[in-house]
Amino acid sequence: MTTKPWDLPTACAKYSAAGVPGVGVWRQWLEGRELAESKKLLDDHGLTPVSLVRSGFYPGLTSEERQTSLDDNFRALDEAAAIGAPQVVLVCGAKPELSLIENRKQITDGIAACIDHAAKTGVKLSIEPLHPMYADCRSAVNTVGQCNDMIDQLGAEHVGIAVDVYHVWWDPQLEAELKRAGDRILGFHVCDWMTPTADMLNDRGLMGEGCIDNRGIRQMVENAGFNGWIEVEVFSTRHWARDMDEYLKDIIEAYRAEV
Amino acid sequence: MTTKPWDLPTACAKYSAAGVPGVGVWRQWLEGRELAESKKLLDDHGLTPVSLVRSGFYPGLTSEERQTSLDDNFRALDEAAAIGAPQVVLVCGAKPELSLIENRKQITDGIAACIDHAAKTGVKLSIEPLHPMYADCRSAVNTVGQCNDMIDQLGAEHVGIAVDVYHVWWDPQLEAELKRAGDRILGFHVCDWMTPTADMLNDRGLMGEGCIDNRGIRQMVENAGFNGWIEVEVFSTRHWARDMDEYLKDIIEAYRAEV
């Protein structure tokens, strides 16, 4: 998604040529092709599928809506298994028509209902807490602490946490809750927060362009025991409008300098 | 500020005629007139000054900048005393150039440096935690829990908390931290969160227009022991463009129906 203008074959070729060893795959890039073919694309370029992004969106106004969401979550687990991704990243969802309590209840129930299928496919469910500015309609899960409380209840065998600096950098409890999370941390995403932020969704910065201490937070997740892949996840209309080859160079440079 | 197009004399006349008993006064509405004259305006209309808004903005890149901020904070306390407002609301500030830790340290130091002057004027310092989406440049104080931790350190005699639903409605720890705050809660502000939010600063909703459970949060602050004034604080380009008399009627109706 960071290099949104590129389709999967292009991204695989470019990443591989640049020495990028792995990739978080968004589901829309799998469309229009057999899953085995996508897997082969990744394999042929020596790219490790780090995560499949994304399912979740559990809350619904009707039981039909909630069932449709569950079906989609099962499909995502199957897709992840098919391309060899060890985790599906969950954007848990929220409906502004529902109370915060009801949204959170439906999310916990929804994840619980996915655990058997996760066990069957061998793919983990990775809850990504989203920034509180998305609590109305994207995710009512908004802090690492809240994820920890949920996982205390759901069990940690098939459920973990994807930590994205964009969503959690401001949290006064971050270091303590990451420590508490320990090996529940399944993913770590880096980017930056721009001042001012022109758009709440697609104005992220490259690491170093904003105020987030990416290296400091990396230290925290690694001190907590995380030793997995670090994913660059930048949604940026501004960067997507640039020459993508130049941009990929800048991404790698920013990663080396700032992460 | 909710009826931004009105100056202080107009707002006083209109609020008084509508039966509004108190008002949170923003400092720019005091300009161009002796403080005693503003106080007389409020008194003559039977309006209780609930709070003076705002000072804070403690972090600075240089010691001169920080001293300028302290001077302004002392002035705000004097102004509050002069118009009879029992508290100054603190928007604590943040500089994206400084680390989160340094911003937070400078804020705590800044408030500590104001306590003597607060004691002398008899005006309380009311920390308003701001939504995490403002943590880069408006306030590095972002949760009620963080305020509680700061006040544990600063002492509660002259420092308290202004709870604005817009900033805290999403917080999974809200109820517990409000209970912990107890009589530290000095102010309670209501409004609503719009979906979608078109502008991060000036697209608040009237109570009932969005997804915030204003009555539920009122219950929480009152269960914690708060029995002070409830202030409607809506920043909205959309509403400010309307007929203000109509809007004031809608505010009162929304307050009665939703708070």
Side-chain angles (χ1 to χ4, degrees), chain A residues 100 104 136 169-170 193 195, chain B residues 100 104 136 169-170 193 195:
Chain A
L100 198 56
R104 288 172 173 168
D136 56 337
W169 70 276
W170 56 271
W193 179 279
T195 306
Chain B
L100 198 56
R104 288 173 173 167
D136 56 337
W169 71 275
W170 56 271
W193 179 279
T195 306

Side-chain angles (χ1 to χ4, degrees), chain A residues 103-248:
Chain A
N103 273 312
R104 288 172 173 168
K105 184 188 175 309
Q106 291 192 13
I107 289 169
T108 306
D109 291 349
I111 298 175
C114 291
I115 288 180
D116 278 353
H117 203 79
K120 207 157 56 185
T121 52
V123 173
K124 296 223 178 189
L125 299 157
S126 199
I127 307 174
E128 182 170 6
L130 252 55
H131 194 286
M133 72 184 173
Y134 304 126
D136 56 337
C137 61
R138 283 174 194 280
S139 179
V141 180
N142 307 103
T143 62
V144 175
Q146 190 185 352
C147 291
N148 275 325
D149 290 344
M150 290 168 69
I151 296 174
D152 284 347
Q153 191 180 332
L154 290 162
E157 201 181 345
H158 303 289
V159 186
I161 306 173
V163 177
D164 184 318
V165 297
Y166 196 73
H167 300 303
V168 304
W169 70 276
W170 56 271
D171 184 355
Q173 297 301 317
L174 184 60
E175 187 161 16
E177 290 293 342
L178 288 173
K179 203 164 285 177
R180 179 180 162 209
D183 60 13
R184 294 170 171 185
I185 304 170
L186 303 179
F188 180 51
H189 307 172
V190 296
C191 68
D192 219 331
W193 179 279
M194 301 302 293
T195 306
T197 289
D199 178 279
M200 287 164 78
L201 273 180
N202 294 316
D203 189 28
R204 297 190 182 194
L206 266 191
M207 301 75 73
E209 286 188 316
C211 62
I212 297 178
D213 179 12
N214 274 286
R215 186 159 287 166
I217 301 178
R218 175 185 177 169
Q219 204 71 63
M220 290 182 201
V221 298
E222 295 187 344
N223 286 347
F226 178 74
N227 64 355
W229 292 81
I230 300 176
E231 298 166 71
V232 175
E233 193 174 74
V234 179
F235 314 148
S236 166
T237 310
R238 176 173 55 94
H239 284 301
W240 289 332
R242 296 177 49 197
D243 176 276
M244 282 291 105
D245 290 299
E246 285 298 316
Y247 181 39
L248 181 57

